Amino acid sequence: MAPEALYQELVQLAREEALLGSVAATLEWDTETYLPPGGVENRGRQMAILAGLLHERAVDPRRAELLEALAGSSLCADPAAVEAVNVRELRKGYERERKVPRELVEELAEETTVASAAWAEARGRRSFAAFAPHLERVVALKRAEAECLAAGGDAYDALLDDHEEGLSMARLDAIVTPLRAGLAALLDRIQGARRPPAPLGGGDYPVAAQRSLATWLAERMGFDGARGRLDAAVHPFTTGLGPGDCRITARWDPTDLSVGLFAVMHEVGHGLYEQGLDPSQWGLPAGEQVSDGLDESQARLWENVVGRSPAFWRFLWPELAARFPALAGADAGAVHRAMNRVEPSFIRVSADEVTYHLHIAVRIDLERSLLRGELRVNDLPAAWAEAYRSTLGIVPPDDTLGCLQDGHWAAGLIGYFASYTLGDVYAAELTRAAERTLGSLEPAFGRGDLAPLRSWLTEHIHRHGCRFGPIELVARATGALPSAASLLARLERVVEGTIA
Ligand code: ZN
């Protein structure tokens, strides 16, 4: 058979798998948004049967034959050609799936569905005890999966690599160690600095008005509402269900405007990446996000670089003031400074940009210990409290403000948290590179003109899919290998602004 015909057969197999995957993703989205508690057990079984079918297709011997035949063919002679990219990346996917037995894939799908529901309930009741047995099972299953993937290597490294190709604890340390040192120095500098007045909390911000603001903001950022929608979820997330269907979610706090505002900007950042992918490559690696770190870089860039910039805030303020009478008479500049104040706090997603990475560091240390069996699940609340005391100098008063705040571990996302720090590192580098081409972004932010930045990101990141690995993609966009230096420079400016 001619390589073109083999390639078309491979594309068809991959697209069928992607379609089946999008069915599973639709159910996952429903689980997080509308599923009543009574439907959880059955949903777990639905997810397990779909995961098994997906796995069966992923390790289909015909796929292996096609990949083998195509790898040395004329179609793959140019490694940058889209066919070569898809063959190379599909082969990696095949090798990955082959290492994990079907039963384990099914068990993980079922248990993480049930555990996520148990987590949401336990979080509402502020009690870790009800969630502990579920987390115990998820950690055991993830350990088994990591051992399959590691094939004799380090299990935690295998999970890091699963989210960010090529990532290991050693490589992460090389980025994070100078970052942590820089953050500690920044925190020392603000000790004793004058605290700005109260932020956006403690007010009256009706949820309906917040939703209408979110819709307006998403459109302003360039999110195509005809190819996506916005709903509420306990833990906000974004998922692509097809080439014209991107779901974003947020959560609203009627007393604190910043919770929903930044959740929306973060998730729309993910959504713009999804909508900026090449639709002709849907269901294939060339039409997918390259890594979780790059995905988070887009979300964190929109949330922080845009959302927290003084110029964008000046643009946003009249909209906020018109929608929320609680802000009548408030000073926009003072609210902006208060919103960006740097101060140890309990909740990661509401943390300022400086202390944020200390929250991440705590999670990386703890999940690594859990996976290795050095920390028992029942001891997690105490270990969490101790880690916050020693890292941020504060001790959470309950589990909801402590180890129950994130849904990641319940969902089996051990090894994911590093993506947020990498994402900020990438975002700072990308922002600098964009400014070299576009000039200072602040004047455009001040006009609410976000199209130049969005187009730059689409051109340099989104449309490439998995054509290059994450590090190479960032290096091609910025002209240098990513390091923590740009992020530290940015955070220094943030600190200057907040104590000015
Ligand atoms: Zn995110």
Side-chain angles (χ1 to χ4, degrees):
M1 262 168 101
E4 286 77 10
L6 296 174
Y7 181 71
Q8 284 315 317
E9 190 184 341
L10 179 67
V11 165
Q12 192 183 337
L13 287 180
R15 286 227 161 103
E16 282 173 7
E17 190 192 336
L19 267 178
L20 193 56
S22 73
V23 174
T26 307
L27 288 182
E28 262 174 301
W29 169 83
D30 177 73
T31 305
E32 300 296 324
T33 49
Y34 294 107
L35 184 72
V40 171
E41 254 182 62
N42 190 56
R43 179 56 47 81
R45 288 194 288 270
Q46 289 175 323
M47 297 314 294
I49 201 165
L50 283 170
L53 290 172
L54 276 162
H55 185 264
E56 184 182 306
R57 283 174 169 266
V59 299
D60 178 0
R62 179 60 183 156
R63 177 180 296 230
E65 283 169 22
L66 292 168
L67 288 167
E68 186 64 40
L70 282 162
S73 77
S74 55
L75 265 186
C76 295
D78 173 6
V82 74
E83 293 86 357
V85 170
N86 285 331
V87 169
R88 182 189 73 215
E89 296 299 318
L90 286 169
R91 194 182 181 113
K92 286 181 195 163
Y94 169 77
E95 297 296 344
R96 185 217 181 272
E97 291 303 313
R98 240 169 40 117
K99 290 179 186 163
V100 189
R102 178 175 179 160
E103 303 71 48
L104 179 53
V105 170
E106 291 170 341
E107 270 184 272
L108 257 171
E110 181 160 2
E111 185 53 48
T112 51
T113 302
V114 175
S116 293
W119 162 75
E121 203 196 327
R123 181 179 174 275
R125 291 188 0 216
R126 300 183 175 269
S127 161
F128 179 74
F131 174 54
H134 294 279
L135 183 59
E136 192 105 52
R137 282 195 286 279
V138 172
V139 169
L141 291 169
K142 287 302 284 185
R143 190 180 297 129
E145 184 195 39
E147 281 164 3
C148 293
L149 295 174
D154 183 85
Y156 188 64
D157 278 356
L159 293 188
L160 289 176
D161 177 80
D162 211 26
H163 293 287
E164 189 82 4
E165 191 186 345
L167 190 64
S168 63
M169 204 56 216
R171 261 202 51 214
L172 186 60
D173 274 339
I175 294 176
V176 167
T177 303
L179 181 63
R180 278 200 207 184
L183 294 178
L186 279 175
L187 274 178
D188 279 349
R189 249 171 67 198
I190 59 163
Q191 291 299 331
R194 186 169 54 83
R195 289 262 167 80
L200 291 170
D204 177 18
Y205 306 103
V207 168
Q210 292 197 50
R211 287 189 61 94
S212 120
L213 172 75
T215 306
W216 173 84
L217 193 54
E219 199 181 308
R220 193 85 217 179
M221 289 166 69
F223 184 77
D224 181 353
R227 296 191 298 139
R229 56 173 287 138
L230 169 68
D231 292 271
V234 177
H235 204 294
F237 66 99
T238 294
T239 184
L241 305 182
D245 189 356
C246 174
R247 306 292 173 95
I248 54 179
T249 61
R251 70 169 170 231
W252 321 105
D253 181 338
T255 68
D256 187 347
L257 187 55
S258 63
V259 171
L261 182 67
F262 290 112
V264 165
M265 292 198 77
H266 181 101
E267 299 306 330
V268 171
H270 284 302
L272 293 175
Y273 192 176
E274 177 72 28
Q275 293 189 334
L277 295 166
D278 179 355
S280 78
Q281 294 297 311
W282 185 80
L284 300 169
E288 282 166 6
Q289 291 88 340
V290 64
S291 72
D292 289 327
L294 248 305
D295 209 354
E296 289 304 337
S297 80
Q298 302 305 291
R300 300 276 304 164
L301 192 156
W302 285 97
E303 176 187 355
N304 293 322
V305 176
V306 181
R308 294 180 189 274
S309 84
F312 185 69
W313 190 252
R314 281 194 296 278
F315 165 75
L316 193 59
W317 185 257
E319 280 295 327
L320 297 183
R323 286 164 199 268
F324 301 104
L327 293 173
D331 171 351
V335 173
H336 179 261
R337 278 193 301 283
M339 199 177 68
N340 285 330
R341 79 201 187 287
V342 176
E343 187 177 32
S345 59
F346 296 119
I347 298 292
R348 172 185 63 88
V349 293
S350 306
D352 63 83
E353 288 186 78
V354 176
T355 59
Y356 184 86
H357 298 287
L358 301 173
H359 292 258
I360 298 298
V362 166
R363 285 153 179 76
I364 291 174
D365 287 346
L366 292 176
E367 68 179 13
R368 195 164 170 232
S369 300
L370 281 172
L371 193 78
R372 292 178 158 187
E374 295 159 1
L375 171 63
R376 292 182 328 131
V377 165
N378 283 335
D379 295 332
L380 179 62
W384 185 284
E386 173 51 26
Y388 265 71
R389 193 198 57 73
S390 64
T391 309
L392 285 152
I394 52 175
V395 175
D398 63 48
D399 293 337
T400 296
L401 289 170
C403 66
L404 282 177
Q405 65 182 272
D406 294 310
H408 297 62
W409 292 338
L413 292 174
I414 296 174
Y416 188 95
F417 281 110
S419 310
Y420 296 109
T421 288
L422 281 182
D424 269 4
V425 167
Y426 295 158
E429 300 279 27
L430 293 172
T431 304
R432 267 183 51 171
E435 290 199 311
R436 278 201 298 273
T437 313
L438 303 173
S440 170
L441 294 167
E442 290 281 307
F445 291 171
R447 296 188 301 273
D449 179 12
L450 306 173
L453 175 62
R454 189 178 64 250
S455 301
W456 190 92
L457 291 168
T458 301
E459 184 190 335
H460 290 87
I461 302 295
H462 307 166
R463 73 180 178 86
H464 291 293
C466 292
R467 193 157 289 145
F468 310 106
I471 298 282
E472 189 185 351
L473 182 61
V474 175
R476 290 177 81 99
T478 63
L481 288 173
S483 80
S486 296
L487 176 58
L488 275 172
R490 166 178 171 73
L491 296 180
E492 259 173 54
R493 290 196 299 277
V494 168
V495 166
E496 293 298 334
T498 169
I499 60 177

